[in-house]
Amino acid sequence: MKLSTTDVTIELKNFYQLLVTCHGEHKHTKMSYYLIKDQEVIEKVPYSRNHSHTFNLHERGRYRVKVFIRNTEGEQTVKTSEDFRYKDFETKDYPVYEQKIYSIVGVHRNAAFIKLLMEKHNEIRSFIDLTNQYCGQTFFNLPVESLKDIEGQNVTLIVLEGLELEGDQIEHYTLKVSETNVLTKTLNRFLAMDLYKLSRMFYENGLTKGAEYVKDFIRHKFNSYIPYTAEIGEGTKLGYGGIGVVIQKSAKIGRNCTISQNVTVGSRGKQPVIGDNVYIAPGAICIGGTIGDNVVVGANAVVTKDIPSNCVVAGVPAKIISTDMEKYEKYVKKNSGNAQKDL
């Protein structure tokens, strides 16, 4: 059976779905579809007998589809569609809400960490001093005002639960991570590593109660223990949001590492130290002390002793299985992103 001449057509459906169709092929011919955006393959569909496929487009850009065709005799050919520029479409079904302007009631450490927590996603105007003792001064780069200063202003007050104030624009908070309030709503917008960085910043600014609050929230949401006392370098990532990760409180982890889900970084007396560009696969337990730079730790490995730089370890207990790091470059390459493939 010879491969017949095939026309590949694309058509936009429902404003965001790109339908690609192969015409004129035999029913036993198989096809694989590659979606290409701005010269980069962003989605692959394995071989099947489907003569059409629909891709869901999520971003603006120039798209085309490459179709790989093969028959039962092993003959293959490739066809490419014409380019298509996708401009996206706007959703207008939902009202646009005006962003709230907040003032935090209190001039104390809790108020300080609330400001640092919320300022990335919200506009914070000031701190409110009910005693008028600090009015006119600044606290964490914000002015301290009285209630009288915000009269007639469209300002929402952030108030500790139990403190009674008059007015309709009030949102109460507690420091219980299981409750839904203005603080937990904000925390839910962060990934686990970003929350660790927040808690570390609170700790370094002497806001220990805030650091404990965020650490508890990480445990509540991600079932992970990532203490603010641990030192974690820039560029280090947590696989799948850091689910099930446990890090010892004195651990020191280097730059550009990937710590996959359900990993334990602990020790048996020595401070756990992990170097730069280390990939720790899912389920690994590292309790052996120091791991060097450019190391790959295999899935479910148990590291019980120091590991030198530039090697791959696996097994229980973990042993060096390779020093040919070119084969594992994608795991330890700097800034390579989330490498999630298991060994």
Side-chain angles (χ1 to χ4, degrees):
M1 178 182 68
K2 297 292 184 180
L3 285 172
S4 61
T5 303
T6 301
D7 292 325
V8 176
T9 61
I10 55 176
E11 180 183 2
L12 189 65
K13 297 281 191 179
N14 300 319
F15 306 114
Y16 70 94
Q17 294 180 312
L18 190 65
L19 173 65
V20 55
T21 305
C22 288
H23 303 274
E25 282 301 331
H26 188 275
K27 66 180 181 178
H28 295 303
T29 302
K30 290 187 176 182
M31 278 146 286
S32 173
Y33 302 90
Y34 282 28
L35 179 64
I36 301 170
K37 175 180 179 289
D38 301 329
Q39 308 304 318
E40 180 183 356
V41 177
I42 61 171
E43 187 174 347
K44 299 178 182 180
V45 179
Y47 279 100
S48 72
R49 292 192 174 91
N50 295 327
H51 286 210
S52 65
H53 182 79
T54 299
F55 291 100
N56 296 316
L57 305 183
H58 300 285
E59 298 178 346
R60 297 183 181 190
R62 185 178 295 276
Y63 291 85
R64 69 179 186 272
V65 178
K66 183 174 288 188
V67 185
F68 297 83
I69 307 163
R70 69 184 183 193
N71 61 21
T72 55
E73 297 176 3
E75 297 174 314
Q76 298 187 27
T77 188
V78 179
K79 298 288 182 177
T80 304
S81 74
E82 60 184 9
D83 283 3
F84 172 77
R85 181 172 291 280
Y86 178 58
K87 297 182 179 180
D88 205 352
F89 71 102
E90 296 182 0
T91 301
K92 299 182 179 180
D93 299 334
Y94 303 99
V96 177
Y97 295 101
E98 183 180 355
Q99 185 180 30
K100 292 181 180 180
I101 301 173
Y102 290 101
S103 285
I104 303 167
V105 175
V107 184
H108 44 64
R109 293 176 191 248
N110 283 357
F113 94 72
I114 291 171
K115 180 261 186 184
L116 294 173
L117 167 63
M118 297 191 61
E119 64 183 352
K120 182 176 181 178
H121 298 292
N122 303 276
E123 182 178 348
I124 310 298
R125 167 181 165 133
S126 63
F127 294 97
I128 301 297
D129 181 14
L130 299 180
T131 69
N132 296 327
Q133 180 181 358
Y134 302 106
C135 292
Q137 301 184 51
T138 59
F139 184 56
F140 278 82
N141 299 318
L142 285 181
V144 180
E145 299 182 305
S146 67
L147 285 175
K148 188 175 182 179
D149 292 329
I150 63 169
E151 285 183 1
Q153 305 292 321
N154 185 23
V155 176
T156 299
L157 298 177
I158 300 176
V159 181
L160 178 65
E161 186 74 41
L163 182 60
E164 298 297 332
L165 292 178
E166 295 182 358
D168 298 327
Q169 293 180 282
I170 294 176
E171 293 194 27
H172 289 93
Y173 72 91
T174 70
L175 296 183
K176 296 179 180 179
V177 297
S178 59
E179 295 185 358
T180 300
N181 56 52
V182 65
L183 300 188
T184 54
K185 287 177 182 177
T186 301
L187 287 170
N188 272 305
R189 303 176 72 171
F190 291 93
L191 299 174
M193 182 55 75
D194 296 324
L195 290 171
Y196 158 77
K197 292 177 181 178
L198 269 176
S199 66
R200 180 76 180 177
M201 177 180 63
F202 296 162
Y203 172 64
E204 291 174 345
N205 279 277
L207 306 174
T208 307
K209 197 165 186 178
E212 284 286 332
Y213 175 66
V214 177
K215 183 192 71 174
D216 290 345
F217 184 85
I218 294 172
R219 178 183 290 180
H220 175 75
K221 181 177 180 180
F222 298 99
N223 194 31
S224 297
Y225 182 74
I226 309 174
Y228 50 83
T229 52
E231 298 180 37
I232 302 178
E234 286 297 317
T236 291
K237 299 177 175 63
L238 301 175
Y240 293 98
I243 297 172
V245 168
V246 176
I247 298 177
Q248 204 256 9
K249 63 182 181 180
S250 66
K252 185 175 183 179
I253 299 172
R255 300 166 57 90
N256 303 314
C257 297
T258 297
I259 301 175
S260 302
Q261 65 274 21
N262 296 313
V263 164
T264 296
V265 178
S267 70
R268 297 186 295 177
K270 296 174 61 177
Q271 178 192 27
V273 177
I274 294 175
D276 297 335
N277 312 312
V278 173
Y279 175 78
I280 306 178
I285 299 174
C286 302
I287 54 173
T290 299
I291 295 176
D293 299 333
N294 309 310
V295 172
V296 175
V297 179
N300 298 313
V302 178
V303 178
T304 59
K305 60 183 180 180
D306 291 348
I307 302 296
S309 298
N310 303 305
C311 67
V312 181
V313 299
V316 181
K319 297 180 180 179
I320 296 175
I321 62 171
S322 178
T323 56
D324 182 6
M325 298 311 295
E326 289 187 5
K327 293 172 56 178
Y328 297 88
E329 182 181 10
K330 65 181 179 179
Y331 292 101
V332 298
K333 186 177 179 180
K334 290 185 179 181
N335 299 317
S336 61
N338 283 321
Q340 294 299 342
K341 184 178 178 181
D342 295 356
L343 291 174

